[in-house]
Structure formats: C-alpha cells, structure tokens
Amino acid sequence: MSDSGPQNTTAQDSNDLFPRPLDKVGLFVAGIVHNLYSPLTAMMGTLDLMRLKHPELQRELERISNMTYRLKDDIAVIMEKARDEGAQNITEVDLARLISNELLFYKGDPRLKHMIEVNWEEPVGLPRFNAPARDFIMAFDQLLTNAIEAMDNVDSKNLTILLFEDGDELVLTMKDSGVGMDEETLAHAFDPFFTTKTPILEGRNPHTLALGVGLTFVKMIFDNLGCSINLESSPDHGTMVEVRIPWKKIHEAHPRQMVFK
C-alpha cells in the first residue's frame, strides 16, 4: 500500500476521535416529542371550553393553561435543537438565538435551573452567517457543562454570558464563579485526557464523567472553523472563556448548496 503522505486534520477526523451524538436516536426522540403536540393541542382546546362552562374555576384553569403553554414552549425548544443538531449541511446560524435555545434546553439540569444565577440577555441585530450549526451547538454545550460542574462546590453560583460584535468577529465570553484553575492546570486545560475532576457515576443526578476530552473537543471544533479560544482563570475566582469567531470568513468558506426539487 502506497504512503499518501501526511494528512491535514479535518472535521471528519475529529468526528472519528470524538463521535457526534447519535443522529438516529436524536431523530427518534424528535419524533416522540413531535407526537406530543397532538394531545397537548387537545388539552389546550379543552381548557378553553372549560373556561366558558366553569367561570368559577377560572383561577385553577388559568394555572393549568400556563403550564400547558410552558410545555408547548419546551417542546418547541427540543424540536429546534433536534433539527439543528441533525442538520449536517450548512445552515444560516443565528448564534444569539442558538445560545438562548441551548440555555432553555439545559434548564433540564437542576443545577442550572435552581442553583445558578444565569446572566444572559439575547443581543439583537448581530450578523447571521453560513456555518455547520451543529458544531457550534456541541462546543457551546461542552463549555456550558464545564461551567456548571466548576460551580458544584462553591456557594455563590453565577454564570455570565455575553455575545457581541467586534469588527469582523463575533466575540462570545462565558464567565463562571467556579473553583477556577491554577497556572499549571490552565496550561494543560486543552490537553487530551487531562482532568482535575473526579468521576461521579452513582448517587447523583446528573453524573460527572470527567474523561478529560471536553475542552480538547471544543478546541478542535473551533480550530477547524478558524475560531480562537482563550481561557483566563485563577483559584477561587472562576474561569472566563473567550471565543473569537471570524464570522465573515466562516460564511465565505461555507457556501450553502442550492436544493432543487
């Protein structure tokens, strides 16, 4: 067999090392969630009829109605996430909206829902660009997971996320109030299989896997897209992640294919 020489690392190479979520499982879950819409719509219609027939139960019915609308919104978020993660082709990415959807989805983690104060205000008017949306979703999810786990053993739990435009780049920053890292740990943060976390697989929900590949995976994704990622951290003062996204270059490098039907 002839030697084809050194090969450049591509997104596909990184997928072989760090597999993406199982698309078939995602589609199966999306199908189940989609099927929830029919009975939910019937419930909402029944509530409207009960309001007319039983005005004396207005307060109780309004409470139930609010919960059904909240469930409808949650289903919509799950469906949008499943659609974006399942799209292997290039799509128009609204990064601000993508982050908002992921934060809503992560409310399923009781730590983020009940224990952590999240400071995030979705910016408006930021440029949209062609890109593999799923790569940004996976990278952001991993950064969010790291931030949540870093605050497990601190009293004050705060997470601040900013997204803004700086010249030809979008800048994403994520600052947590977690345990932080010393200089030696920070120097190895992107090294494969390096971790200071202790795996916790039982007696806790959600579990901590602590494989030491999360930040490595994130860096590989951003490197492939031409983004830069930097960490600032110190013990007991949390960690700040800054990602600079050259959206114009990414847009030009990922033309969307015309689909003819």
Side-chain angles (χ1 to χ4, degrees):
M1 181 180 295
S2 61
D3 186 1
S4 59
Q7 306 263 335
N8 291 330
T9 300
T10 65
Q12 183 61 46
D13 295 329
S14 65
N15 293 344
D16 294 337
L17 292 173
F18 304 98
R20 297 180 187 272
L22 295 177
D23 292 334
K24 289 184 179 179
V25 174
L27 290 173
F28 180 68
V29 172
I32 294 176
V33 173
H34 182 270
N35 289 339
L36 294 177
Y37 263 120
S38 294
L40 184 61
T41 301
M43 289 170 59
M44 295 168 70
T46 303
L47 283 170
D48 289 339
L49 290 175
M50 291 185 68
R51 282 199 191 95
L52 295 175
K53 294 183 177 181
H54 300 280
E56 73 279 7
L57 299 177
Q58 186 68 26
R59 180 178 298 179
E60 291 78 6
L61 293 175
E62 185 66 25
R63 187 178 307 152
I64 297 172
S65 179
N66 289 338
M67 287 188 288
T68 57
Y69 274 100
R70 179 176 176 179
L71 180 58
K72 181 180 180 182
D73 290 341
D74 289 343
I75 290 175
V77 168
I78 294 173
M79 289 296 296
E80 188 168 351
K81 178 178 173 63
R83 182 200 65 196
D84 290 340
E85 285 195 355
Q88 300 185 37
N89 59 325
I90 305 304
T91 60
E92 185 180 66
V93 174
D94 182 345
L95 197 55
R97 186 59 185 163
L98 183 151
I99 291 172
S100 292
N101 282 345
E102 293 307 297
L103 288 172
L104 285 172
F105 185 81
Y106 261 71
K107 290 294 184 180
D109 187 321
R111 294 170 295 182
L112 190 68
K113 185 174 183 179
H114 300 295
M115 304 175 189
I116 299 174
E117 180 179 347
V118 179
N119 303 296
W120 159 254
E121 184 173 346
E122 183 177 327
V124 296
L126 293 181
R128 302 182 181 187
F129 56 98
N130 295 340
R134 188 168 63 172
D135 286 355
F136 282 100
I137 291 173
M138 289 190 297
F140 180 78
D141 284 357
Q142 185 58 58
L143 292 176
L144 187 57
T145 297
N146 283 2
I148 293 172
E149 292 179 352
M151 293 184 281
D152 275 346
N153 298 317
V154 299
D155 295 328
S156 179
K157 305 178 190 294
N158 296 281
L159 179 63
T160 300
I161 303 172
L162 298 173
L163 179 67
F164 55 92
E165 190 173 7
D166 183 17
D168 291 339
E169 295 180 321
L170 292 177
V171 181
L172 170 66
T173 64
M174 185 182 297
K175 176 71 170 67
D176 66 63
S177 61
V179 294
M181 295 178 279
D182 57 28
E183 291 184 4
E184 181 178 358
T185 302
L186 188 60
H188 295 283
F190 294 116
D191 291 353
F193 308 111
F194 175 83
T195 182
T196 59
K197 300 175 186 176
T198 301
I200 302 175
L201 303 180
E202 296 181 357
R204 172 178 167 179
N205 185 25
H207 306 317
T208 299
L209 294 178
L211 299 177
V213 296
L215 282 178
T216 305
F217 185 30
V218 169
K219 191 172 189 310
M220 291 177 69
I221 289 176
F222 285 137
D223 283 349
N224 286 332
L225 291 170
C227 306
S228 65
I229 178 170
N230 296 291
L231 305 177
E232 294 181 11
S233 187
S234 59
D236 302 321
H237 288 85
T239 299
M240 186 181 78
V241 181
E242 181 188 78
V243 182
R244 302 191 72 88
I245 303 161
W247 68 269
K248 285 188 176 182
K249 292 182 179 179
I250 296 174
H251 180 83
E252 293 171 356
H254 295 85
R256 297 175 65 182
Q257 296 181 351
M258 295 294 294
V259 177
F260 298 95
K261 295 184 179 180

